[in-house]
Amino acid sequence: MSKAGLIAARLLQILPTFLLIGVVVFVLARLLPGDPVSAALGDRATDEAVNRLREQMGLDRSILEQFLLFLRSAVQGDFGQSIAFRTPVTTVIAERLPVTLALTGLATLIALALAVPLAFVAAVNANRWPDFLIRGVFQVGLSSPVFYVGLILLTVFAAWFRWFPVGGYGEGFADILWHLLLPSTTLALSFSAVIMRNLRAAILEVLNAEFVDFARAKGLSRRVVMIRHVLRNALISTVTLVGLHAGSLLGGAVITESVFAVPGVGRLMVDSIFARDYPMIQALTLILAVVVSLAFLITDLIQMALDPRVAR
Amino acid sequence: MMAAPSSALLDVRDLHVRFATARGEVRAVDGVNLSVAPGETLGLVGESGSGKSVTLRAILRLLRANAAITGEVRWQGENLLALPEKRLRDIRGKDIAVIFQEPMSALNPVISIGRQIDESLVAHTALDAAGRRRRAIELLDLVGIASPEQRLAGFPHEFSGGMRQRAMIAIALAAEPKLLLADEPTTALDVTIQDQILKLLLRLNRELGMGLILVTHDLGVVAETCDRVSVMYAGRVVESGPVDRVFTAPRHAYTDALLRSMPHGGAARAPLRPIPGQPPRLDRAIAGCPFAPRCALVEDRCTVEAPPFAVVAPDQRAACWASDRLAAREGVA
Amino acid sequence: MTALALTFRRAPASLIAGAAVLLVVLVCAVAPGLIAPYDPLAFDYGALLQPPSAAHPFGTDQFGRDILSRTIAAATIDLQIAIFATVGPLVIGTIIGLLVGYYGGIADAIFGRLVDLVVTFPFLVLVIAIVAVLGPGLSNMYIAIGVVGWVFYARLMRGEVQVLRGQDYVSAAKVLGYGEARILLRHILPNAARPILVYWMTDMALAILLGSSLGYLGLGAQPPAAEWGVLIADGKNFFSQAWWITVFPGFAIVFCGIGFSLFGDGLADLMDVRR
């Protein structure tokens, strides 16, 4: 199958998942306690105003109708007005989504930058002190809740040393990087522990493979053997792992953004839940699911590029 | 008479390999002596676990960290076991190349065949990219892979078993080695393909004047392809000499038993007889001859005193107290 | 009994270390009153925001409450979270995975879609959303985690069962005419259970992380109940002056998490489970 064909097949596979996500999101939002209309207008609104808004939001129709309306507008990219912001939901999300993508993207880079070299050192020194040290430190990282790590980094590096801002988001590449460095490091810590653990095991397995002996027998330098033959093969399974963790990374972003007051979609999600902003919650959940699916797709593509056995 | 050391291409003396394992030390190779002349084909035979593959890998120090290698491997006046890793890398692949049993696991699954040949050429030749490509095509052609230009971009899983083995041989030949170490190169292949690969190895040996050590458990393969043979048992070479001598007039009781256990074995008209018992465990010291517990010709001193690896006939050595009796029986028959 | 003794002798160091850590947590959880030097809820206006000292090894908070006692007392709720949030998914997921893996067919296809769905949702986002629907609190949090969490157990179980289904001894049991219930319960379940048990340990560590995160966000355990995440949230506004209010309960989470991980690793080694 050609690469384009494979991509098309994967996209088709995603569609029924999207539909199910739509159902779940819709049902969930209807189940939320409290009336969105009174939440939007406050307790003192006139009945007339309430009814007008109900009609506007389509809340006076049957559930099935509401669902179909929801689906139709979702496909058109129209998620309605935000109750809390009183602007189109998509406008708010379009503003916030890049922040979260930057945060999680940077976190992934930091996680890889930490995990890959250290997994390598740990595997090469398997069951000797560098291995135990690295695994021990990462075990602590893995067992530390994101909000706790965030609070500590925030207090130490932003409040005490004042090296970083205590929160928010910057303007321009350098400023954004400066603002996001602490939150993404926070997010990266437990993620890098997961990657390290997986990659270390993969490297150990590859080190035992006969093609590594053969590469050495060819007289290749240690560097070439380790990077081109060992690391490259071990990284294939790590790519899959990174992709599969896209969801938990976004979940972590919800907490990180809350701790560091980063104006991304994670924080928006929490705020919207407390504000009972139905349209916002629906749109966010759908979009986050789409983001995760796309991450899966990208993972598949990278894997195809790395492993010729997958594609052809 | 032994060949003068200076004429030997590779000379392995008193090689020992010990593995540190959880259950104690295993003496996988215990005092092995081998030598190969330029352009010569040496068969290294033995049952699985006899230490033949370990010996082969020890020559280029390809064993894992838990292996301790002692002894001497003389190559052009140098002891490979004492060389710094960096110097050894110049010899690996360039002077001495290796091919393994299972090409599917010995070839990197995610790198194209062309690239895997190219790696060796980069490491050992001064050719530019275009030159390396030409050479790679030439190599695939040499080992009998059709339309080599297209195959360069192929990956190991796209090749058939026999083609993979040919590709591995092409990689090994990249830098025109003077000696090829082949570890059971045909065991994983179909019988018809086996024959093709052996013929290929022999042709390369003749055409390129390349020495060959062929590790195998198949006496038939040795009889067909090798000039000389060394028989291994329990980590030691028990007998060595020219193939036609060793296979027709074995002077070690183990070689004798091995030949009798094979259909169409060397000793004509003798009944087919499997060797009873098991090889000894290598994690404990062995007193006397390691084959004694299974030997039909065992005598008292066999279990006490290890027989010396002595010259038993012109160019033939064996470590067996019964070698005289074997010779006498041969005279009668 | 001999099997148990044998198991103990072969036990990897990580299993023993993990068990020791968990034992400490368990004792704190079961009898906090016996160990804690103070009443975790008692105010002491004579000792506000005291740094760690001999009298208060972990210091005191803005009401003079002893942080050590509060951290010990919180073990009760956090261990409860570890167990309550995972037992439901464990049982339900195992049963569904067993059935789906064994019988396959349309149920399996539906299950496959469901797995796709669940992995596509950020887990935490979904749990937060469900808690928001049901209202903050521990029991609602258990329900929220359970609604999603069982899928992971079922997926693991399904994979195991599919492998085991083709094994000789299962076929032999079928040929012998054993009932399906017997094959499932006596032959497949015990063999497939090992990876599930190992995963359960990891999952309990995750549950504590998740439970404390929700506690921190105000969606899990509610103050004044002592829960590690809640304690950290309580202290965060005083972090600059009184770091100890936040830092020590966090240590407890890390300590407990490491305990579960070590125990899980040891269990995996012992039962030869590949992860």
Side-chain angles (χ1 to χ4, degrees), chain A residues 207-211 213-214 216-222 224 228-229 232-233 236 306-309 312, chain B residues 57 61-62 64 89 92-93 98 100 105-110 115-116 119-120 124 155 157-158 168 171:
Chain A
L207 277 175
N208 271 319
E210 201 162 60
F211 64 78
D213 289 334
F214 189 57
R216 288 174 62 213
K218 283 156 78 174
L220 304 183
S221 71
R222 192 177 150 80
V224 171
R228 193 181 299 158
H229 291 273
R232 173 154 179 205
N233 282 272
I236 292 174
L306 281 178
D307 190 345
R309 288 166 298 184
R312 298 160 215 216
Chain B
R57 284 167 194 243
R61 300 198 341 228
L62 291 174
R64 297 280 145 73
R89 277 207 297 269
R92 283 181 186 157
V98 187
F100 290 137
S105 50
L107 294 175
N108 190 325
V110 303
R115 184 96 196 274
Q116 296 193 53
E119 279 186 330
S120 290
H124 300 300
F155 289 91
H157 69 279
E158 297 165 337
M168 180 152 71
I171 293 170

Side-chain angles (χ1 to χ4, degrees), chain B:
Chain B
M1 283 290 292
M2 203 184 153
S6 57
S7 76
L9 184 63
L10 179 83
D11 200 3
V12 177
R13 290 180 204 165
D14 198 29
L15 182 75
H16 290 261
V17 179
R18 294 190 178 86
F19 289 102
T21 71
R23 291 190 298 124
E25 193 182 64
V26 173
R27 300 163 185 225
V29 175
D30 201 9
V32 158
N33 293 286
L34 292 175
S35 81
V36 197
E40 189 181 53
T41 311
L42 171 73
L44 193 56
V45 292
E47 296 165 287
S48 42
S50 60
K52 51 194 193 306
S53 290
V54 176
T55 302
L56 199 76
R57 284 167 194 243
I59 290 172
L60 283 179
R61 300 198 341 228
L62 291 174
L63 297 164
R64 297 280 145 73
N66 68 340
I69 311 173
T70 54
E72 250 187 275
V73 175
R74 306 235 46 113
W75 173 262
Q76 298 183 331
E78 288 184 293
N79 179 7
L80 297 187
L81 298 186
L83 278 187
E85 181 82 15
K86 212 169 153 53
R87 277 280 298 123
L88 185 65
R89 277 207 297 269
D90 295 337
I91 292 172
R92 283 181 186 157
K94 177 159 177 59
D95 289 347
I96 306 177
V98 187
I99 57 172
F100 290 137
Q101 174 175 343
E102 235 317 326
M104 193 60 195
S105 50
L107 294 175
N108 190 325
V110 303
I111 299 183
S112 71
I113 295 292
R115 184 96 196 274
Q116 296 193 53
I117 299 178
D118 193 62
E119 279 186 330
S120 290
L121 295 172
V122 169
H124 300 300
T125 68
L127 295 171
D128 62 0
R132 294 199 302 268
R133 188 179 155 79
R134 266 198 307 281
R135 174 76 181 135
I137 293 170
E138 198 179 291
L139 282 163
L140 287 187
D141 189 51
L142 178 70
V143 298
I145 289 179
S147 49
E149 250 169 281
Q150 284 84 58
R151 297 303 254 168
L152 275 186
F155 289 91
H157 69 279
E158 297 165 337
F159 283 57
S160 69
M163 286 298 145
R164 272 199 289 271
Q165 190 57 278
R166 285 171 195 267
M168 180 152 71
I169 294 171
I171 293 170
L173 295 179
E176 302 184 323
K178 300 182 185 74
L179 177 66
L180 180 66
L181 310 179
D183 188 1
E184 307 242 15
T186 59
T187 308
L189 303 173
D190 293 343
V191 182
T192 47
I193 313 284
Q194 273 186 20
D195 198 52
Q196 291 172 14
I197 296 293
L198 283 176
K199 289 212 170 86
L200 170 66
L201 286 175
L202 275 184
R203 184 175 57 112
L204 295 168
N205 160 253
R206 261 197 322 274
E207 286 176 7
L208 309 175
M210 176 183 71
L212 177 66
I213 299 184
L214 184 66
V215 163
T216 175
H217 62 266
D218 188 337
L219 297 183
V221 166
V222 175
E224 227 177 287
T225 49
C226 295
D227 305 321
R228 294 168 54 83
V229 62
S230 286
V231 181
M232 285 193 70
Y233 186 77
R236 306 160 196 212
V237 171
V238 293
E239 178 160 14
S240 70
V243 169
D244 47 3
R245 288 276 317 156
V246 173
F247 279 12
T248 52
R251 293 296 174 83
H252 193 288
Y254 174 65
T255 317
D256 184 60
L258 202 59
L259 288 167
R260 283 167 192 276
S261 72
M262 312 294 276
H264 321 295
R269 276 169 294 147
L272 197 64
R273 210 155 38 85
I275 309 174
Q278 294 289 318
R281 291 177 55 164
L282 299 176
D283 54 352
R284 21 184 103 148
I286 297 166
C289 172
F291 186 59
R294 302 169 75 185
C295 184
L297 305 172
V298 67
E299 51 189 272
D300 287 347
R301 62 173 165 173
C302 291
T303 54
V304 202
E305 195 183 339
F309 191 50
V311 176
V312 290
D315 206 23
Q316 185 177 6
R317 280 170 167 248
C320 184
W321 292 122
S323 62
D324 291 345
R325 278 189 285 156
L326 283 163
R329 197 181 56 185
E330 187 187 312
V332 174

Side-chain angles (χ1 to χ4, degrees), chain A residues 20-21 24-25 247 285-286 289 292, chain C residues 116-123 126:
Chain A
L20 270 173
I21 291 168
V24 172
V25 168
T285 317
L286 257 179
V292 173
Chain C
D116 285 351
L117 178 72
V118 168
V119 296
T120 316
F121 267 107
F123 184 60
L126 201 56

Side-chain angles (χ1 to χ4, degrees), chain A residues 33 148 155 197 251 273 285 293, chain C residues 120-121 124 132-133 239 247 265 275:
Chain A
Y148 179 59
T155 308
R197 194 184 175 125
I273 285 174
T285 317
S293 300
Chain C
T120 316
F121 267 107
L124 187 76
V133 170
F239 202 142
V247 166
D265 283 352
R275 299 204 278 182

Side-chain angles (χ1 to χ4, degrees), chain A residues 65-77:
Chain A
E65 264 180 293
Q66 286 186 37
F67 178 63
L68 291 176
L69 276 175
F70 162 69
L71 268 193
R72 197 184 65 192
S73 27
V75 171
Q76 291 166 345

Side-chain angles (χ1 to χ4, degrees), chain A residues 142-187:
Chain A
L142 198 60
S143 306
S144 308
V146 169
F147 66 91
Y148 179 59
V149 175
L151 269 181
I152 289 178
L153 292 184
L154 184 70
T155 308
V156 173
F157 293 105
W160 288 353
F161 291 138
R162 298 180 186 279
W163 292 346
F164 294 97
V166 287
Y169 192 63
E171 263 174 51
F173 182 77
D175 195 35
I176 289 176
L177 197 67
W178 188 51
H179 275 83
L180 287 187
L181 207 57
L182 276 188
S184 26
T185 305
T186 303
L187 196 51

